Amino acid sequence: MEARSPQPAGLTESPPQGFIQAKGYPTYTNVEVVNDGAESAAFKQLFRTWTHELGRKKLDRTGRSTQVKLDVGKLHSQPELAAQLRMVDDGSGKVEMWCIQDSGRQPVDSKHHGQLCSSNCYLILYTYQKLGRIQYILYLWQGHQATAEETKALHSNAEELDHLYQGALVQEHVTMGSEPPHFLAIFQGQLVIFQGSTGHHGKGQPASVPRLFHVQGTDGYDTRTMEVPARAPSLNSSEVFLLVTAGVCYLWFGKGCNGDQREMARTVVTVISGNDKETVLEGQEPPHFWEALGGRAPYPSSKRLPEEAASFQPRLFECSSQKGCLVLSEVVFFGQGDLDKYDIMLLDTWQEIFLWLGAAASERKDAVAWGQEYLRTHPAGRSLATPIVLVKQGHEPPTFTGWFSTWDPYMWSNNQSYEEVVKSGVSHLGTESAISGITAEINNFQLSQWPGESRAGPPDLPAIKDTQDISEMELGPRVGGRSASTSISTSNSSSSVSLVDSGSLPPERLRYQAVEDLPQGVDPTRKEFYLSDADFQDIFGKSKKEFYGMAKWKQQQEKKKLGFF
């Protein structure tokens, strides 16, 4: 994987020679000076942990972790909070679940929702409402023991469902044991992962075989229960475990667990076993308890410290492939306007990898593989189990949009389906006929000096001379994530003064020219706009329509390279 990004601030041109020589580095090695508290995103990404307090858990004055109640209303009104907590809502929406069997999907009865097996793959479709619109998240859950054939069938069935829903599904790839918070929330603390293909009823396994389950979590939003080897070393003094035997189910409470953990275990035990329940405190276990585990053995007894959320600045990359190699171009100070319909963009928030698919983007089938390649080659040694989320243009969830400073939900699709957006070829510049009309009429415009000889804005455009029904047309580059629009009236005009002689300015009057050397009336931020269509095509290799349909950062890159910035 090749990554391209701007040179970080603080890069010294003359690095300390002593340090370079001591390390045996090449003499041209750059050294970046980083101040405490002002570390760049690129610097932080080199470390596996870089933490600060974030989210629902906070520390009280004694340093103990306390729980902050989740306010669902704030998730809808504050997408930045939804993004940080990784929660689109409280998980109370509609849930449908399928198990992948014989390359097809078999519905799972609602009574068994949340009961997964490590050798299987599952599709979980979650439906919720946001801003009055129905939205979907399709979770692709893969067990650690699932075969390659089952994984392939999981992906193909997900694509079939996505087609049925006209491309409106946000697809999140989830690996067993790394379930995101919202995935846990939709099962309200009742998520149980069994080893092998043995479900809650224990089919395929003798009833006399003891089974041990580890309960992790303190409420309905963060609890998962996983089956672990029924051996004493699997225990931990800071956790809660359920030991299921032929006649009794032991609730084992370690010395370091708290009341919330014990309460969640009491609700989960009814899902796992119908046997009689017996509470066992660490150090007071009956002989039968240890016999079921194969005898006593050492296990971790130190209290596990609560994990802090990572402090990470999200990074946005444009993805492309050159000769089979993934190439990433970083977009700094990114906004919604940098998401181009022809592109596939990768947003790294550390806890999740988002792949945003533009409506007209090619190579969409490679997006998941690109996300996996990004994780595999990351210098910080990222976990390959990090969830990868596929997001379609026009169907972005708040967990994605919350990472952008501003977001217009109606910027592209106007409530069209994803397939309709692709077919219609939504463009920021309108129809071909409208563009042709404006191109023809602009030759009759005259560059005039702005009021007060100011160059603070674009020149005013006279009215079009015919009665073509154009009330508003977008011209020029996008600014701040939106297109800069120029209103054009439909009235007659007697003015017909030519623009210079040829209807435009020659390239040498615009290219590589300082602001003070430009002709009067030229907007210095849009020098390229005053080229003739032919000169623009020769210099930029594309039409003005194609250029202004690009993301703003791409326009700036080309303008810098060609001398129009």
Side-chain angles (χ1 to χ4, degrees):
M1 180 183 68
E2 175 186 347
R4 301 196 305 267
S5 60
Q7 180 173 304
L11 211 57
T12 60
E13 296 183 356
S14 301
Q17 295 301 317
F19 176 80
I20 296 297
Q21 294 174 0
K23 292 294 184 179
Y25 296 149
T27 56
Y28 53 80
T29 300
N30 291 320
V31 173
E32 181 179 354
V33 179
V34 180
N35 294 323
D36 182 19
E39 297 84 2
S40 65
F43 179 80
K44 291 178 181 179
Q45 267 206 345
L46 299 175
F47 297 84
R48 186 181 292 272
T49 57
W50 193 286
T51 59
H52 79 303
E53 288 304 317
L54 178 68
R56 292 186 292 116
K57 291 187 176 181
K58 296 183 179 180
L59 297 180
D60 59 18
R61 294 181 179 178
T62 64
R64 294 177 298 182
S65 178
T66 60
Q67 202 74 18
V68 179
K69 186 177 180 180
L70 180 65
D71 188 336
V72 181
K74 289 185 177 180
L75 295 178
H76 292 162
S77 61
Q78 300 179 22
E80 66 277 7
L81 181 63
Q84 292 172 355
L85 299 182
R86 304 166 68 192
M87 299 277 288
V88 297
D89 62 7
D90 64 349
S92 59
K94 179 183 177 182
V95 180
E96 299 173 80
M97 184 171 164
W98 297 268
C99 179
I100 301 301
Q101 294 180 355
D102 300 325
S103 299
R105 54 184 183 273
Q106 299 298 324
V108 176
D109 190 280
S110 59
K111 294 185 298 184
H112 302 318
H113 280 183
Q115 300 173 23
L116 312 177
C117 298
S118 63
S119 62
N120 293 340
C121 293
Y122 297 86
L123 290 171
I124 297 94
L125 178 61
Y126 183 78
T127 305
Y128 67 105
Q129 283 197 12
K130 178 179 179 292
L131 300 177
R133 296 178 58 188
I134 300 296
Q135 306 225 27
Y136 308 92
I137 300 177
L138 180 64
Y139 289 102
L140 291 74
W141 188 91
Q142 179 180 338
H144 283 166
Q145 297 173 317
T147 64
E149 291 76 11
E150 288 174 322
T151 302
K152 182 178 180 181
L154 174 70
H155 295 164
S156 62
N157 277 272
E159 290 303 317
E160 287 181 11
L161 277 178
D162 189 52
H163 180 71
L164 290 175
Y165 283 82
Q166 299 183 318
L169 305 184
V170 172
Q171 299 182 34
E172 182 155 0
H173 295 249
V174 177
T175 303
M176 170 181 161
S178 298
E179 293 81 9
H182 186 260
F183 185 90
L184 301 178
I186 64 179
F187 298 116
Q188 301 297 307
Q190 303 297 302
L191 176 65
V192 181
I193 302 173
F194 298 88
Q195 288 297 322
S197 58
T198 306
H200 73 289
H201 41 67
K203 287 185 178 179
Q205 187 176 42
S208 59
V209 176
R211 309 178 71 180
L212 185 64
F213 296 86
H214 180 195
V215 183
Q216 301 167 281
T218 58
D219 61 24
Y221 297 122
D222 67 359
T223 298
R224 74 166 62 84
T225 301
M226 295 185 64
E227 185 175 1
V228 296
R231 294 290 182 266
S234 299
L235 300 174
N236 188 300
S237 292
S238 61
E239 305 290 347
V240 175
F241 291 82
L242 307 177
L243 176 60
V244 181
T245 66
V248 64
C249 177
Y250 296 102
L251 281 74
W252 186 85
F253 298 148
K255 293 179 180 179
C257 70
N258 58 41
D260 291 334
Q261 291 174 286
R262 292 191 290 269
E263 190 61 32
M264 286 306 304
R266 291 189 177 97
T267 63
V268 173
V269 69
T270 57
V271 177
I272 296 176
S273 174
N275 295 346
D276 293 336
K277 282 72 175 179
E278 182 177 333
T279 300
V280 175
L281 302 180
E282 182 178 8
Q284 301 178 17
E285 301 87 355
H288 181 255
F289 177 88
W290 294 115
E291 290 174 3
L293 292 178
R296 292 176 181 269
Y299 56 85
S301 58
S302 58
K303 184 173 178 60
R304 186 175 299 169
L305 295 176
E307 294 184 0
E308 297 178 344
S311 170
F312 179 75
Q313 180 180 349
R315 304 178 73 183
L316 182 69
F317 302 88
E318 179 198 16
C319 301
S320 61
S321 179
Q322 297 181 5
K323 298 180 180 179
C325 180
L326 174 62
V327 178
L328 300 179
S329 301
E330 184 167 15
V331 183
V332 295
F333 307 114
F334 61 83
Q336 185 181 5
D338 295 313
L339 302 177
D340 190 282
K341 69 174 182 176
Y342 295 104
D343 287 339
I344 295 177
M345 309 294 288
L346 186 151
L347 178 66
D348 182 4
T349 67
W350 190 267
Q351 293 180 310
E352 289 174 316
I353 301 295
F354 291 92
L355 274 304
W356 182 87
L357 310 181
S362 59
E363 301 181 292
R364 290 195 294 269
K365 294 183 179 180
D366 299 325
V368 174
W370 286 353
Q372 294 170 341
E373 177 71 8
Y374 175 81
L375 290 171
R376 186 164 47 249
T377 58
H378 198 281
R382 300 283 287 279
S383 170
L384 298 181
T386 302
I388 296 176
V389 189
L390 293 185
V391 177
K392 308 287 184 60
Q393 179 180 345
H395 296 285
E396 297 83 1
T399 49
F400 176 83
T401 63
W403 296 107
F404 294 76
S405 57
T406 58
W407 187 271
D408 178 4
Y410 306 107
M411 179 174 176
W412 298 302
S413 65
N414 292 324
N415 292 320
Q416 292 177 304
S417 71
Y418 180 72
E419 292 182 345
E420 289 172 337
V421 174
V422 175
K423 291 178 181 178
S424 63
V426 177
S427 172
H428 292 291
L429 291 173
T431 63
E432 291 283 355
S433 59
I435 295 299
S436 300
I438 292 179
T439 303
E441 292 296 337
I442 201 169
N443 291 331
N444 295 322
F445 295 169
Q446 180 183 22
L447 283 175
S448 59
Q449 189 171 352
W450 303 326
E453 299 185 356
S454 170
R455 288 180 174 175
D460 294 330
L461 298 179
I464 294 180
K465 293 190 297 180
D466 58 26
T467 57
Q468 185 179 3
D469 185 17
I470 305 176
S471 60
E472 187 178 78
M473 182 57 59
E474 293 181 347
L475 290 173
R478 287 172 287 180
V479 180
R482 295 173 180 263
S483 299
S485 300
T486 302
S487 296
I488 302 177
S489 303
T490 58
S491 61
N492 294 326
S493 173
S494 58
S495 61
S496 181
V497 183
S498 63
L499 183 63
V500 191
D501 289 327
S502 61
S504 61
L505 292 172
E508 58 270 16
R509 300 281 309 273
L510 303 165
R511 203 172 186 182
Y512 301 110
Q513 296 296 318
V515 174
E516 59 272 12
D517 296 329
L518 291 172
Q520 288 186 344
V522 172
D523 181 356
T525 66
R526 300 171 60 197
K527 300 176 188 177
E528 77 290 342
F529 179 74
Y530 304 94
L531 292 170
S532 68
D533 289 344
D535 286 339
F536 194 99
Q537 183 72 42
D538 289 341
I539 296 173
F540 285 85
K542 57 178 65 68
S543 67
K544 289 183 180 180
K545 176 196 171 183
E546 293 171 328
F547 179 80
Y548 289 125
M550 295 165 51
K552 182 183 177 184
W553 68 274
K554 286 188 176 182
Q555 296 178 27
Q556 292 176 336
Q557 280 187 342
E558 291 208 18
K559 288 162 65 173
K560 287 179 181 179
K561 182 172 63 176
L562 298 174
F564 290 90
F565 189 73

